[in-house]
Amino acid sequence: MTAAPFPSGRTRRTAGDRRAQLVEIGLELLPTTPVQELTIDEVARRAGISRSLLFHYFATKRDYYTAVTQAAADLLWEHLLPRPGAPADEQVRGMIERYVGWVDTYRESHLAFVRGAAGGDPWVAGVYEDMRERLVDVTLGALGLPDDTARRQFVRAWFAFSEDLVNQWAREPAMSRDELVTLLVAVLDRLVGR
Amino acid sequence: MTAAPFPSGRTRRTAGDRRAQLVEIGLELLPTTPVQELTIDEVARRAGISRSLLFHYFATKRDYYTAVTQAAADLLWEHLLPRPGAPADEQVRGMIERYVGWVDTYRESHLAFVRGAAGGDPWVAGVYEDMRERLVDVTLGALGLPDDTARRQFVRAWFAFSEDLVNQWAREPAMSRDELVTLLVAVLDRLVGR
DNA sequence: GTAGCTTGTTGAGCGTTGCTCAGCAAGCCG
DNA sequence: CGGCTTGCTGAGCAACGCTCAACAAGCTAC
């Protein structure tokens, strides 16, 4: 090898740091690349490490991009969570407002996230499914409604409706943001029968 | 090589036949494998041909599974199309009924199709998008409504709603099929304002 | 029949990518 | 300094997408 073995910035990190860095890189790459198409080479290159090290932290490529997806889901989840102080009625509207804001702000990243989640891989789909189920719980709770099967299904399908509509709206707004939010609330209210 | 160069059934097919056969194999594999994960090796093996021949018909793996997705979309499209004779009012309900029947019959295949369509690959997503747009056209036409931007978006989002609800219903029916169809029709009617 | 053309078809092989494994070396303890 | 833990690497294998030069099945023309 040459005289200077390492350029300069080569530092040894703790396991936690490294993991976090790798997931972070995945999140940065998400908007431009479908999760499953992230290449280990690319990620390792960006982190300035060897491919092998990545496999030290994530046994499988799938493990890696599942972790990235989970991280994205966690970010969204924390942003959406109803603020405990708010009156029950405004909790749902608040969630919807924050969701619309989120999609509007992180358009591409969020679309990429949803795409990856909806796409083929069952593991990734599972991550998204979990979040959806928790969202249904929270929503039914905020509405003060019992959660029989039918109602759960309605709320879930309403999420699908909202996702699609908000995505379209972000691309080509056919109404004001307030009108959009009001419409979504109204559809939900009617669906779960109030 | 050995004395008997070819086992027996080795026949030379016309280009059209071969293409059709390969797409057919893709359709058979769809329910068990995400489209993008179809391996050329596996498909070629099933067809009893070499990998190279597949690349003769489809320049790229993407070209191949896009063709498979397109074939799946065509099947669904033809099944859903409103029968021209029926009165305008029953056309929409008829489409919904056929859709529910389709999902109920080809559960896994259809889910796999939707998954692949929603997933990362823009080409595949495009195939699905096209069908959706055409469905919106047909639906608005059958309802006799003008198609301004807002209404198109509502109908598209309603499709997303219906897809999700019907999929859940197929997995765990919380109501009769007729009730489901009636609900979907009612939601659509209310959304596009009748 | 056989020469010749078209075209369906193949095998060898290359580059990339996911993944393994044996071992190096950075930092800490005595 | 010796020894230990553990973050980290390089070489290399197998699988897969894709290329390319050439073979051969089936048809037509002589």
Side-chain angles (χ1 to χ4, degrees), chain B residues 10 12-13 18 50 52-53 57:
Chain B
R10 183 68 147 304
R12 189 178 162 132
R13 298 202 184 194
R18 195 54 92 184
S50 64
S52 318
L53 189 55
Y57 290 105

Side-chain angles (χ1 to χ4, degrees), chain A residues 139-191:
Chain A
T139 304
L140 284 175
L143 290 174
L145 292 168
D147 65 344
D148 51 300
T149 307
R151 233 192 290 265
R152 283 193 78 83
Q153 294 189 350
F154 288 166
V155 175
R156 258 207 50 164
W158 170 81
F159 278 143
F161 174 83
S162 304
E163 269 168 21
D164 197 281
L165 190 56
V166 174
N167 271 326
Q168 290 184 81
W169 173 84
R171 237 184 294 134
E172 188 185 359
M175 58 183 82
S176 77
R177 181 188 291 215
D178 266 1
E179 284 168 342
L180 175 64
V181 172
T182 302
L183 176 84
L184 292 176
V185 174
V187 172
L188 176 61
D189 278 350
R190 256 212 132 232
L191 268 174

Side-chain angles (χ1 to χ4, degrees), chain A residues 10-13 18 50 52-53 57:
Chain A
R10 184 68 147 305
T11 40
R12 191 177 159 132
R13 299 203 184 192
R18 194 55 92 187
S50 64
S52 317
L53 188 56
Y57 290 105

Side-chain angles (χ1 to χ4, degrees), chain A residues 73-116:
Chain A
D74 289 347
L75 286 174
L76 177 56
W77 171 253
E78 258 171 54
H79 185 256
L80 290 188
L81 259 197
R83 308 307 184 238
D89 228 27
E90 287 174 18
Q91 285 193 351
V92 172
R93 189 180 176 95
M95 280 178 65
I96 298 176
E97 272 167 355
R98 286 192 293 279
Y99 178 69
V100 173
W102 182 271
V103 176
D104 202 20
T105 308
Y106 303 108
R107 191 115 48 96
E108 287 117 87
S109 329
H110 184 256
L111 196 61
F113 167 59
V114 173
R115 288 240 138 117

